[in-house]
């Protein structure tokens, strides 16, 4: 099972649509909390707040403990969780578009058992390096690098893939 966090930020007149994807052992509250705790600890509170002031998610069982997601293990408020209405994918269209990119590489119904986090990070970097008309022919990585800074880029293991090397086909992870 793959859980992904889409980081979608509006900065002045620019938009960033960078995605982070984490491979989970199972679809549980504990696994999602581990991802949030990892990001909180790796990035630090200031950067985490800046990147994730609000998290919009679906109503899946793995998100049913908002207090644990919104607060650090020490009770420090780190974000606010909001839930989309059931069957309302239009409330998070940028996430849905990124689902389509994932499905170009990993078709629906294919097991994730053979993939490692390194495979998923490779997929993430190709998606984030894909040039988009909606970003004025830029890619999310380029839009994010100045805003995030080189330290955060390294912490999140984000890498730029040359435009001619970007592939969103199943052959990427073979």
């Amino acid at each position: 099972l793959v859980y992904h966090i889409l980081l979608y930020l509006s900065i002045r007149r620019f938009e960033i649509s960078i995605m982070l994807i984490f491979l989970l052992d199972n679809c549980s509250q504990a696994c999602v909390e581990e991802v949030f705790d990892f990001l909180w600890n790796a990035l630090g509170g200031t950067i985490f707040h800046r990147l994730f002031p609000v998290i919009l998610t679906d109503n899946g069982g793995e998100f049913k403990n908002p207090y644990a997601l919104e607060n650090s293990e020490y009770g420090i408020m780190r974000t606010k969780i909001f839930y989309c209405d059931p069957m309302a994918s239009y409330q998070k269209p940028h996430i849905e578009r990124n689902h389509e990119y994932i499905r170009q590489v990993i078709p629906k119904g294919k097991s994730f058992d053979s993939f490692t986090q390194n495979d998923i990070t490779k997929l993430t970097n190709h998606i984030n390096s894909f040039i988009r008309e909606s970003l004025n022919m830029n890619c999310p990585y380029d839009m994010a690098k100045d805003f995030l800074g080189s330290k955060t880029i390294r912490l999140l293991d984000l890498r730029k893939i040359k435009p001619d090397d970007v592939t969103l086909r199943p052959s990427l992870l073979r």
Side-chain angles (χ1 to χ4, degrees), residues 2 13 41 49 67 78 86 97 101 103 114 126 133 164 166:
V2 169
R13 301 173 70 194
N41 292 323
H49 284 294
Y67 181 84
R78 56 184 173 193
R97 181 65 187 129
Y101 293 133
R103 292 303 180 202
S114 64
H126 278 259
E133 194 173 314
D164 290 343
V166 171

Side-chain angles (χ1 to χ4, degrees), residues 1 8 15 30-31 33 45 48 55 61 71 89 95 100 102 111 120 130 140 150 169:
L1 177 69
Y8 181 78
E15 292 181 348
C31 284
E33 288 172 30
F48 188 98
I55 295 177
N71 298 281
S89 59
I95 295 171
E100 292 173 22
I102 293 169
S111 171
I120 299 304
F130 183 70
S150 59
R169 293 181 295 234

Side-chain angles (χ1 to χ4, degrees), residues 1 9 11 15 17 20 22 30 37 45 48 58 68 75-77 80 85 102 104 115 122 125 138 146 156 164 171-172:
L1 177 69
L9 304 168
I11 306 166
E15 292 181 348
S17 186
L20 307 176
F22 297 92
D37 290 342
F48 188 98
D58 61 26
I76 299 168
M77 174 68 87
K80 293 297 286 176
D85 294 321
I102 293 169
Q104 287 176 21
F115 299 119
K122 181 178 184 179
N125 285 322
N138 290 298
D146 291 332
L156 297 173
D164 290 343
S171 61
L172 176 65

Side-chain angles (χ1 to χ4, degrees), residues 10-74:
S10 286
I11 306 166
R12 295 185 194 152
R13 301 173 70 194
F14 295 47
E15 292 181 348
I16 296 173
S17 186
I18 198 152
M19 183 194 291
L20 307 176
I21 308 174
F22 297 92
L23 187 65
L24 300 181
D25 291 334
N26 59 64
C27 188
S28 68
Q29 289 178 10
C31 284
V32 174
E33 288 172 30
E34 284 178 23
V35 170
F36 279 58
D37 290 342
F38 162 75
L39 290 169
W40 176 259
N41 292 323
L43 299 172
T46 302
I47 294 172
F48 188 98
H49 284 294
R50 186 170 153 212
L51 300 180
F52 304 103
V54 172
I55 295 177
L56 181 64
T57 187
D58 61 26
N59 288 298
E62 66 274 25
F63 299 107
K64 289 300 183 196
N65 185 358
Y67 181 84
L69 301 177
E70 290 178 336
N71 298 281
S72 75
E73 59 189 322
Y74 302 108

Side-chain angles (χ1 to χ4, degrees), residues 94-112:
H94 300 286
I95 295 171
E96 296 305 320
R97 181 65 187 129
N98 278 299
H99 280 244
E100 292 173 22
Y101 293 133
I102 293 169
R103 292 303 180 202
Q104 287 176 21
V105 178
I106 306 172
K108 189 171 183 159
K110 180 167 174 50
S111 171
F112 291 95

